[in-house]
């Protein structure tokens, strides 16, 4: 009997372990396989699309903007952020945001028939819930532009879903076993130093004290990034939990949690050869070891996924004003200095569109267009706006 009981317990433990490591993969696979089928059926019968999110770049999920619950941050049409208790702090640069915005003028209004109009990008919409007309039958002139625009469109679905605070996420929560209960706050507990990451068993202070400068470990270990930068969407570490609204609310009230997040950000910046030179504005610059670290960053493209996650997390957990300075840095290094050529597509498809503040996002796209070559292949904003910028740049070149 003792032997039978021992065997039973061992078998049960193995089954539980297999379920724990496979459940996230199963749900992710199920969502990615059946979501496109459901979208196709809905489109065929003429119903509006309702699409879920996907994890990181190469993601394909999107949302059709829906009514936002009270106290939830959404991107607003004026270029600022509506900050509720459930998301990020108000942008300290409110005076700048209140200034006249050139992009609010009538000449920046875009028709859905524009050559590079994207159904999943609200950057140029005057109203946040402006309806979109699908242009399934229209084709771009150049095959290369068609391919690049298709990739941008796929990325735009994911980034739009993030910027609107995951309106379709509620439907998946009852299925996703990686989402903790209301009383279980693993991400917050980790950031308060009460519990370690899983499966590595590392506390937050150990990451900050022992992992900084340990570049081989930061490069080759892939289970820590979801703990350092949690999101409301699943990732590839099935021992990590998605961030909940309750955790976000409590995180933003905790100085300890926010200070630890800032240290995590500086840890990863150092890994990428970047340093934070102004904690108030979020401005960054090259670190002394930038050349060595840029080589790694340019050749290890999985770091693009990590940076997208970092940008999203900054916007959710109290540092939205840090997003644009980091994206500006990468635009300069890719488009002007030419130091990170392999990152250029990720910067334009994902990094820029992670910026929550619409005015800042528009300025970043304008900067990118004026410094992009060849301009005929720039697909990240409508053609009408590109033509307008080209005319303006003749008399006033971009600095």
């Amino acid at each position: 009997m003792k032997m039978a009981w021992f065997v039973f317990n061992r078998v049960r433990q193995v089954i539980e372990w297999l379920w724990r490591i496979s459940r996230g993969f199963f749900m992710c696979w199920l969502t990615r396989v059946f979501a496109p089928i459901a979208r196709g059926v809905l489109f065929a019968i003429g119903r509006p699309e309702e699409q879920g999110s996907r994890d990181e770049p190469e993601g394909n999920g999107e949302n059709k903007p829906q009514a936002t619950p009270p106290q939830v941050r959404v991107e607003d049409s004026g270029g600022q952020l509506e900050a509720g208790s459930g998301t990020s702090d108000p942008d300290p640069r409110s005076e700048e945001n209140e200034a006249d915005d050139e992009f609010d003028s009538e000449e920046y209004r875009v028709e859905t028939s524009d050559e590079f109009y994207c159904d999943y990008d609200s950057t140029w919409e005057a109203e946040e819930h402006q309806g979109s007309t699908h242009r399934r039958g229209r084709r771009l002139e150049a095959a290369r532009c068609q391919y690049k625009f298709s990739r941008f469109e796929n990325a735009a679905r994911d980034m739009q879903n993030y910027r609107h605070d995951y309106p379709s996420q509620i439907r998946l929560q009852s299925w996703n076993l990686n989402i903790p209960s209301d009383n279980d706050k693993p991400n917050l507990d980790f950031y308060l130093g009460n519990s370690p990451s899983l499966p590595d068993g590392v506390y937050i202070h150990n990451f900050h004290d022992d992992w900084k400068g340990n570049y081989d470990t930061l490069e080759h270990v892939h289970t820590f990034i979801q703990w350092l930068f949690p999101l409301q969407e699943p990732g590839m570490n099935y021992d990590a939990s998605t961030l909940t609204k309750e955790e976000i609310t409590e995180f933003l009230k905790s100085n300890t949690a926010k200070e630890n997040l800032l240290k995590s950000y500086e840890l990863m910046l150092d890994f990428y050869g970047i340093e934070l030179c102004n904690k108030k504005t979020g401005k960054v610059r090259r670190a002394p070891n930038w050349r060595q670290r840029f080589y790694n960053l340019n050749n290890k493209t999985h770091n693009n996924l990590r940076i997208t996650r970092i940008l999203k997390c900054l916007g959710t957990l109290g540092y939205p004003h840090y997003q644009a300075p980091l994206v500006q840095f990468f635009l300069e290094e890719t488009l002007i200095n030419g130091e990170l050529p392999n990152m250029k597509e990720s910067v334009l498809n994902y990094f820029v569109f992670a910026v929550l503040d619409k005015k800042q996002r528009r300025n970043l796209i304008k900067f990118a267009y004026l410094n992009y070559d060849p301009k005929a292949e720039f697909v990240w904003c409508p053609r009408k706006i590109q033509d307008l910028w080209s005319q303006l740049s003749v008399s006033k070149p971009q600095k």
Side-chain angles (χ1 to χ4, degrees):
M1 289 293 293
K2 289 183 178 180
M3 179 61 69
W5 181 252
F6 175 78
V7 172
F8 171 77
N9 278 326
R10 295 297 294 176
V11 171
R12 179 177 59 83
Q13 291 173 4
V14 170
I15 292 174
E16 289 178 351
W17 177 78
L18 289 173
W19 170 246
R20 187 165 59 252
I21 65 173
S22 64
R23 63 187 182 183
F25 171 79
F26 173 75
M27 293 308 305
C28 184
W29 176 85
L30 186 67
T31 301
R32 296 186 183 193
V33 168
F34 287 100
I37 297 176
R39 287 198 299 270
V41 172
L42 290 172
F43 181 76
I45 63 177
R47 293 185 59 184
E49 296 182 70
E50 288 188 347
Q51 296 141 318
S53 66
R54 292 183 60 177
D55 183 30
E56 290 288 347
E58 304 309 328
N60 203 17
E62 196 267 350
N63 68 87
K64 190 175 181 65
Q66 301 173 1
T68 306
Q71 301 301 315
V72 172
R73 180 263 302 140
V74 295
E75 168 195 34
D76 105 278
S77 60
Q80 301 178 35
L81 297 178
E82 290 183 0
S85 62
T87 54
S88 56
D89 294 333
D91 191 334
R93 295 159 299 169
S94 58
E95 292 183 2
E96 176 186 341
N97 288 335
E98 291 173 359
D100 292 338
D101 189 347
E102 64 170 303
F103 304 115
D104 287 338
S105 63
E106 187 63 30
E107 59 187 342
Y108 278 91
R109 300 285 72 81
V110 179
E111 298 294 332
T112 57
S113 58
D114 189 281
E115 183 178 2
F116 290 125
Y117 178 86
C118 177
D119 290 324
Y120 310 111
D121 176 28
S122 61
T123 301
W124 306 104
E125 293 179 1
E127 299 295 335
E128 199 56 47
H129 296 278
Q130 174 178 317
S132 62
T133 302
H134 292 275
R135 0 140 239 96
R136 303 299 180 190
R138 182 161 55 81
R139 293 291 182 270
L140 303 179
E141 294 181 2
R144 182 172 177 82
C145 284
Q146 174 66 45
Y147 172 73
K148 293 175 71 172
F149 184 76
S150 177
R151 287 177 62 84
F152 163 52
E153 209 169 30
N154 287 335
R157 298 177 183 182
D158 173 64
M159 306 315 293
Q160 181 88 320
N161 190 43
Y162 157 72
R163 294 198 310 271
H164 288 78
D165 208 41
Y166 305 94
S168 59
Q169 197 84 341
I170 297 175
R171 300 194 307 274
L172 301 177
Q173 285 187 358
S174 60
W175 289 30
N176 191 343
L177 300 181
N178 280 14
I179 294 181
S181 65
D182 292 340
N183 297 324
D184 188 15
K185 299 179 174 62
N187 297 291
L188 181 63
D189 288 340
F190 167 72
Y191 255 98
L192 293 177
N194 298 329
S195 59
S197 66
L198 297 174
D200 304 301
V202 182
Y203 284 86
I204 187 65
H205 67 272
N206 294 128
F207 277 115
H208 298 157
D209 296 339
D210 304 333
W211 287 47
K212 189 167 185 179
N214 193 344
Y215 299 142
D216 286 340
T217 300
L218 289 169
E219 176 59 41
H220 296 108
V221 176
H222 302 291
T223 49
F224 71 90
I225 197 70
Q226 284 178 235
W227 287 100
L228 291 187
F229 302 97
L231 297 176
Q232 298 177 80
E233 57 187 82
M236 297 308 294
N237 177 4
Y238 305 129
D239 286 316
S241 299
T242 52
L243 193 63
T244 66
K245 302 292 187 186
E246 292 79 10
E247 285 183 304
I248 296 172
T249 300
E250 294 190 30
F251 195 106
L252 294 173
K253 295 177 181 178
S254 170
N255 290 331
T256 299
K258 293 178 67 175
E259 288 170 4
N260 279 332
L261 179 59
L262 180 56
K263 292 179 182 178
S264 297
Y265 182 52
E266 291 182 292
L267 167 72
M268 294 306 295
L269 286 180
D270 175 72
F271 173 62
Y272 297 133
I274 307 169
E275 62 182 11
L276 181 64
C277 55
N278 190 318
K279 291 185 178 181
K280 182 177 180 180
T281 65
K283 184 178 180 180
V284 296
R285 64 190 176 197
R286 291 176 177 178
N289 63 343
W290 71 272
R291 198 174 298 277
Q292 172 198 7
R293 303 314 308 155
F294 274 26
Y295 178 82
N296 181 80
L297 183 56
N298 190 55
N299 289 281
K300 305 294 185 179
T301 56
H302 70 93
N303 283 294
N304 297 340
L305 313 181
R306 292 176 169 184
I307 294 171
T308 301
R309 170 174 282 273
I310 291 169
L311 284 165
K312 288 179 177 180
C313 183
L314 291 174
T316 300
L317 294 181
Y319 294 93
H321 54 293
Y322 277 22
Q323 292 180 311
L326 182 61
V327 176
Q328 177 74 30
F329 175 85
F330 281 119
L331 285 173
E332 292 174 0
E333 293 295 348
T334 55
L335 300 181
I336 298 177
N337 301 329
E339 293 290 348
L340 299 167
N342 293 338
M343 292 186 67
K344 184 166 65 174
E345 296 295 317
S346 290
V347 174
L348 290 166
N349 282 329
Y350 292 94
F351 297 5
V352 169
F353 294 93
V355 175
L356 294 174
D357 189 290
K358 184 177 289 188
K359 178 181 177 182
Q360 293 176 347
R361 196 163 67 251
R362 289 167 169 175
N363 280 320
L364 289 168
I365 297 171
K366 180 178 182 180
F367 177 87
Y369 174 73
L370 295 177
N371 291 281
Y372 191 89
D373 184 50
K375 287 183 171 47
E377 295 181 7
F378 192 90
V379 301
W380 294 275
C381 74
R383 179 69 78 186
K384 173 185 176 180
I385 295 174
Q386 295 183 32
D387 292 341
L388 178 61
W389 286 341
S390 294
Q391 296 171 12
L392 295 175
S393 65
V394 172
S395 56
K396 187 179 180 180
Q398 181 78 356
K399 294 183 181 179

